[in-house]
Amino acid sequence: MLKNLFYNKKVVPWIFITPFLLFFTVFKVWPIVYSAYLSLHEMSGLNTSNFVGLQNYFEVFSDSDFLKAVWNNTKYMIGTMITLIPIPLIFAVLLDSKHCKGKNIYKAILFIPTLTSLVIAAAVFKILLYEGEAGIINTIIGLFGFSPQKWLISPYLTIPSVILIATWRWTGMNLIYFTTGLTGISQELYESASIDGANMLQRFFYITVPLLKPIIIFVATLNLIGGYKLFTEVFMLWDGGASPGKSALTMAVLLYRTAFSYFELGYASTIGFVMALIILVLSLIQLKITGFFNEEE
Amino acid sequence: MFLSSIKKVLVLSVIIIFGMLFTVSSVSAQTEMDMWTFVNAHAEFYEMMAENWNQENPDRAITLNTQVLPFNQMHDKLNIALQTGMGAPDIVDIEIGKFPGILENNAETLVDLSSVIDEYRDDILEARLAPYSTPDNKVYGIPTHVGTYLMYYNVDMLEEAGVSIDDIETWDDYLEAGKKVSKDTDGDGENDQFMLAVPSEEASAFDGMSRQLGSNYFDQDGNVILDREENIRTLKRLKDYVYKYEIADVVTDYHEQNFYNALNNEKYASIFMPQWYMIRFTDFMPDLKGKIRVRPLPAWPNGEGTLSTMGGGTGTAVTQEASDVELAKEFLAYAKLTREAGVKIWTDLGFDPIVTDAYNDESFQEKFPYFGNEKVMLTIQDLQSEIQPLYFSDLLTRLRDQLNEETLYEIFENGGDVEKNIKEAAEKLRAEQ
């Protein structure tokens, strides 16, 4: 009987994917379903719950902390769009040039930050960004005549500080995406453009950028998602995410502390769902605008 | 064929399970206890106390398995373990700020320790139990230390400015002394040497002064009292030190290397913090050796309030999951409430114990070269009678976040209005009650 089962073409595939399905259901589907359930309840700890319908959802949109967090995430996301697309793109083009020597060394140097532990990186940046005159970054900007800045204290500089770290950390990764994209562009295009008299800038804007568009969209989408999920940097730079004036409070930090410091699992689940919804909607809008859904011409 | 093999497996597993039960029961002469903490030194302390316990109680010996986990991770893990009823240790250190929240959600999974504490009640500073107790007088945590609030003066700086520290009796005297010692040393028109640093991202300074007045965050029933007149008065005074009299500088907090360096470089002539800050001085500020003196806090003018209060702390709890709840309770009381334990808390951990009699041990007579060869622990002993109970509620974490991230920052860093900011914070918290 067992033998027949193993030879049945309809049943066997299911048997093979059962382990995966089991794990997927237990560790992915179930938590989502359960947190949807939690988001409709007021929880006191894990064990006592009180059904409140959509009240948590109404509350979230009038919660000043949450709105502040969304705005902080947005500022950070815009910041990473400004730094993390042009900078790696320019590096990629420069490293792709045949005049560049020792490409691999540069690539390695730029890629190393991606491999470092974020926890350690944040600790190091905490020292670099020290607000006193003796702070390393303050010393550097002092050479150019700027006065020392309170990087991690002034509410205007907290998000820029996080963007600085993100730029340092993710430039290498995006560089890899762009470099891979560049290898797909045929050299003949550049040659024929040169013959037609296009200069370097024209070749960059009329050949490189349009042909890299799918990669740019991909990187921009990653930036968007990463921007709204920001957690570790903030959590590490300010112990437990306690940034001055809540100027770097993010949705994920708020979710974490609502769940694990204030023990309000219901409300925390609601924050999680709204956060996922924001990311989903914005990603769709972005992909729509950039023409990702257009039929291939 | 298939069925019979299932039978075999079943029979085998039953044999194995029974076999395991048998071995466990025959080996367990010593009771195994798991303990979690977030401080290495605490783990070593409990291991040592377990050895002493075993020598004195060979028939009830325990094997203590301590585990040191990072601060946040340990508290999160504990909370989840207690809520799910799986995986919690027998004994656990819980930081005072985390205690009320964890207790609120897990009161039935933590053990009421009153029965073992009662035996020692007259021999300890009972006020210290309040933060770990519920209004119905159940006690869920045994404190590690008193955390007596003290003023640490840099006597060199003050003498140079012509101030004798023993003339500072009230906060008004402190202000006058501050005016003399605070000055502009590099001639840029702004003070760069101060009497004090006020933190904008932690409440230590506010806590010390408002608790002297018997005020702070919550009343005995857990109601928010943040906007009480005493608190407003405290914050106004601190804000005036910064903005009106310019005797205080604003820093983020007292617990980072940059601040230790500033103290070490004599930027600030004093700081008031609990007793355990002594260890920060000796560990991180070597250049101040011989220059620091420990004194009671200045009194509020008009003789109001006390000369000290308590600050910080760790409550050690027993969970219902303990393999032997009664044994765990007794061991914990032994490790923290006996005279011997009190002495060891001072000699091994460097904390001011809650055991009153311990202060009569000769080790408390020690003179500290770092603190001007004074018998610091005797000053602390004299202050024990000044310490009043302190009450918390499960809103503590939320309240601390609110103060550290918004309210104190607004008041001290931005010079915001005290009354407006503190009232807003109190209202926001009451809405959560």
Side-chain angles (χ1 to χ4, degrees), chain B residues 355-373:
Chain B
V355 185
T356 329
D357 192 28
Y359 289 82
N360 299 321
D361 187 84
E362 60 177 309
S363 59
F364 285 73
Q365 302 279 336
E366 187 184 345
K367 287 181 182 171
F368 290 86
Y370 192 100
F371 300 100
N373 268 320

mmCIF file of all heavy atoms in Angstrom, chain B residues 355-373:
data_model
loop_
_atom_site.group_PDB
_atom_site.id
_atom_site.type_symbol
_atom_site.label_atom_id
_atom_site.label_comp_id
_atom_site.label_asym_id
_atom_site.label_seq_id
_atom_site.Cartn_x
_atom_site.Cartn_y
_atom_site.Cartn_z
ATOM 1 N N VAL B 355 20.833 45.180 54.365
ATOM 2 C CA VAL B 355 20.886 44.549 55.690
ATOM 3 C C VAL B 355 21.529 45.530 56.673
ATOM 4 O O VAL B 355 22.711 45.859 56.550
ATOM 5 C CB VAL B 355 21.704 43.247 55.644
ATOM 6 C CG1 VAL B 355 21.659 42.546 56.985
ATOM 7 C CG2 VAL B 355 21.196 42.337 54.534
ATOM 8 N N THR B 356 20.740 46.001 57.630
ATOM 9 C CA THR B 356 21.188 47.067 58.521
ATOM 10 C C THR B 356 22.414 46.664 59.335
ATOM 11 O O THR B 356 23.376 47.418 59.454
ATOM 12 C CB THR B 356 20.050 47.436 59.506
ATOM 13 O OG1 THR B 356 18.804 47.200 58.836
ATOM 14 C CG2 THR B 356 20.136 48.863 59.912
ATOM 15 N N ASP B 357 22.376 45.462 59.859
ATOM 16 C CA ASP B 357 23.433 45.011 60.760
ATOM 17 C C ASP B 357 24.770 44.854 60.040
ATOM 18 O O ASP B 357 25.830 44.965 60.659
ATOM 19 C CB ASP B 357 22.997 43.683 61.405
ATOM 20 C CG ASP B 357 23.906 43.313 62.559
ATOM 21 O OD1 ASP B 357 24.460 44.259 63.175
ATOM 22 O OD2 ASP B 357 24.074 42.114 62.822
ATOM 23 N N ALA B 358 24.737 44.616 58.753
ATOM 24 C CA ALA B 358 25.982 44.408 58.005
ATOM 25 C C ALA B 358 26.925 45.596 58.150
ATOM 26 O O ALA B 358 28.145 45.443 58.172
ATOM 27 C CB ALA B 358 25.677 44.153 56.533
ATOM 28 N N TYR B 359 26.329 46.810 58.291
ATOM 29 C CA TYR B 359 27.151 48.017 58.370
ATOM 30 C C TYR B 359 28.049 48.029 59.605
ATOM 31 O O TYR B 359 28.972 48.817 59.699
ATOM 32 C CB TYR B 359 26.275 49.272 58.353
ATOM 33 C CG TYR B 359 25.647 49.535 56.988
ATOM 34 C CD1 TYR B 359 24.491 48.879 56.591
ATOM 35 C CD2 TYR B 359 26.227 50.437 56.096
ATOM 36 C CE1 TYR B 359 23.921 49.107 55.351
ATOM 37 C CE2 TYR B 359 25.663 50.671 54.844
ATOM 38 C CZ TYR B 359 24.514 50.004 54.481
ATOM 39 O OH TYR B 359 23.970 50.223 53.247
ATOM 40 N N ASN B 360 27.739 47.163 60.578
ATOM 41 C CA ASN B 360 28.592 47.104 61.772
ATOM 42 C C ASN B 360 29.810 46.221 61.568
ATOM 43 O O ASN B 360 30.677 46.152 62.429
ATOM 44 C CB ASN B 360 27.774 46.603 62.964
ATOM 45 C CG ASN B 360 26.626 47.551 63.258
ATOM 46 O OD1 ASN B 360 26.801 48.768 63.166
ATOM 47 N ND2 ASN B 360 25.456 47.016 63.565
ATOM 48 N N ASP B 361 29.873 45.555 60.434
ATOM 49 C CA ASP B 361 31.037 44.713 60.145
ATOM 50 C C ASP B 361 32.252 45.614 59.928
ATOM 51 O O ASP B 361 32.133 46.744 59.441
ATOM 52 C CB ASP B 361 30.755 43.894 58.887
ATOM 53 C CG ASP B 361 31.840 42.873 58.628
ATOM 54 O OD1 ASP B 361 31.764 41.783 59.228
ATOM 55 O OD2 ASP B 361 32.768 43.166 57.841
ATOM 56 N N GLU B 362 33.421 45.082 60.299
ATOM 57 C CA GLU B 362 34.607 45.941 60.214
ATOM 58 C C GLU B 362 34.964 46.339 58.780
ATOM 59 O O GLU B 362 35.617 47.350 58.553
ATOM 60 C CB GLU B 362 35.809 45.282 60.899
ATOM 61 C CG GLU B 362 36.192 43.944 60.280
ATOM 62 C CD GLU B 362 37.443 43.367 60.938
ATOM 63 O OE1 GLU B 362 38.420 44.105 61.027
ATOM 64 O OE2 GLU B 362 37.407 42.186 61.348
ATOM 65 N N SER B 363 34.505 45.547 57.795
ATOM 66 C CA SER B 363 34.835 45.897 56.414
ATOM 67 C C SER B 363 34.218 47.239 56.012
ATOM 68 O O SER B 363 34.659 47.868 55.056
ATOM 69 C CB SER B 363 34.356 44.796 55.459
ATOM 70 O OG SER B 363 32.970 44.627 55.575
ATOM 71 N N PHE B 364 33.209 47.681 56.762
ATOM 72 C CA PHE B 364 32.571 48.962 56.430
ATOM 73 C C PHE B 364 33.356 50.151 56.994
ATOM 74 O O PHE B 364 33.019 51.290 56.758
ATOM 75 C CB PHE B 364 31.128 48.990 56.939
ATOM 76 C CG PHE B 364 30.204 48.148 56.090
ATOM 77 C CD1 PHE B 364 30.249 46.759 56.153
ATOM 78 C CD2 PHE B 364 29.324 48.738 55.211
ATOM 79 C CE1 PHE B 364 29.427 45.982 55.367
ATOM 80 C CE2 PHE B 364 28.492 47.966 54.403
ATOM 81 C CZ PHE B 364 28.546 46.572 54.482
ATOM 82 N N GLN B 365 34.394 49.832 57.783
ATOM 83 C CA GLN B 365 35.240 50.887 58.357
ATOM 84 C C GLN B 365 36.327 51.314 57.372
ATOM 85 O O GLN B 365 37.130 52.196 57.692
ATOM 86 C CB GLN B 365 35.928 50.368 59.629
ATOM 87 C CG GLN B 365 34.993 49.874 60.705
ATOM 88 C CD GLN B 365 34.428 51.020 61.525
ATOM 89 O OE1 GLN B 365 35.020 52.080 61.598
ATOM 90 N NE2 GLN B 365 33.265 50.795 62.134
ATOM 91 N N GLU B 366 36.353 50.661 56.229
ATOM 92 C CA GLU B 366 37.434 50.901 55.270
ATOM 93 C C GLU B 366 37.587 52.378 54.916
ATOM 94 O O GLU B 366 36.616 53.079 54.681
ATOM 95 C CB GLU B 366 37.128 50.094 54.001
ATOM 96 C CG GLU B 366 38.243 50.125 52.990
ATOM 97 C CD GLU B 366 37.873 49.388 51.695
ATOM 98 O OE1 GLU B 366 36.887 48.629 51.699
ATOM 99 O OE2 GLU B 366 38.571 49.606 50.701
ATOM 100 N N LYS B 367 38.857 52.818 54.870
ATOM 101 C CA LYS B 367 39.127 54.194 54.423
ATOM 102 C C LYS B 367 39.510 54.148 52.951
ATOM 103 O O LYS B 367 40.294 53.303 52.541
ATOM 104 C CB LYS B 367 40.298 54.782 55.228
ATOM 105 C CG LYS B 367 39.946 55.117 56.643
ATOM 106 C CD LYS B 367 41.172 55.701 57.327
ATOM 107 C CE LYS B 367 40.888 56.004 58.787
ATOM 108 N NZ LYS B 367 42.120 56.362 59.503
ATOM 109 N N PHE B 368 38.945 55.061 52.187
ATOM 110 C CA PHE B 368 39.200 55.038 50.740
ATOM 111 C C PHE B 368 40.160 56.137 50.319
ATOM 112 O O PHE B 368 39.801 57.314 50.378
ATOM 113 C CB PHE B 368 37.894 55.257 49.982
ATOM 114 C CG PHE B 368 36.965 54.105 50.074
ATOM 115 C CD1 PHE B 368 36.089 53.990 51.138
ATOM 116 C CD2 PHE B 368 36.965 53.137 49.080
ATOM 117 C CE1 PHE B 368 35.227 52.923 51.217
ATOM 118 C CE2 PHE B 368 36.097 52.069 49.161
ATOM 119 C CZ PHE B 368 35.225 51.959 50.234
ATOM 120 N N PRO B 369 41.348 55.761 49.862
ATOM 121 C CA PRO B 369 42.263 56.789 49.366
ATOM 122 C C PRO B 369 41.616 57.610 48.250
ATOM 123 O O PRO B 369 41.807 58.813 48.157
ATOM 124 C CB PRO B 369 43.440 55.978 48.816
ATOM 125 C CG PRO B 369 43.353 54.654 49.500
ATOM 126 C CD PRO B 369 41.913 54.423 49.797
ATOM 127 N N TYR B 370 40.810 56.945 47.420
ATOM 128 C CA TYR B 370 40.187 57.662 46.300
ATOM 129 C C TYR B 370 39.279 58.777 46.823
ATOM 130 O O TYR B 370 39.190 59.852 46.247
ATOM 131 C CB TYR B 370 39.374 56.686 45.438
ATOM 132 C CG TYR B 370 38.936 57.283 44.114
ATOM 133 C CD1 TYR B 370 39.638 57.007 42.945
ATOM 134 C CD2 TYR B 370 37.843 58.136 44.044
ATOM 135 C CE1 TYR B 370 39.249 57.570 41.736
ATOM 136 C CE2 TYR B 370 37.452 58.703 42.845
ATOM 137 C CZ TYR B 370 38.155 58.421 41.697
ATOM 138 O OH TYR B 370 37.772 58.977 40.505
ATOM 139 N N PHE B 371 38.569 58.482 47.933
ATOM 140 C CA PHE B 371 37.615 59.449 48.478
ATOM 141 C C PHE B 371 38.197 60.155 49.707
ATOM 142 O O PHE B 371 37.562 60.267 50.763
ATOM 143 C CB PHE B 371 36.290 58.755 48.800
ATOM 144 C CG PHE B 371 35.655 58.126 47.581
ATOM 145 C CD1 PHE B 371 35.775 56.766 47.327
ATOM 146 C CD2 PHE B 371 34.975 58.915 46.663
ATOM 147 C CE1 PHE B 371 35.214 56.194 46.185
ATOM 148 C CE2 PHE B 371 34.407 58.355 45.510
ATOM 149 C CZ PHE B 371 34.530 56.993 45.278
ATOM 150 N N GLY B 372 39.441 60.594 49.576
ATOM 151 C CA GLY B 372 40.074 61.397 50.624
ATOM 152 C C GLY B 372 40.282 60.671 51.931
ATOM 153 O O GLY B 372 40.217 61.295 52.992
ATOM 154 N N ASN B 373 40.512 59.362 51.860
ATOM 155 C CA ASN B 373 40.752 58.548 53.067
ATOM 156 C C ASN B 373 39.614 58.610 54.068
ATOM 157 O O ASN B 373 39.825 58.488 55.277
ATOM 158 C CB ASN B 373 42.063 58.954 53.748
ATOM 159 C CG ASN B 373 43.202 58.100 53.229
ATOM 160 O OD1 ASN B 373 43.035 56.893 53.019
ATOM 161 N ND2 ASN B 373 44.341 58.726 53.000
#
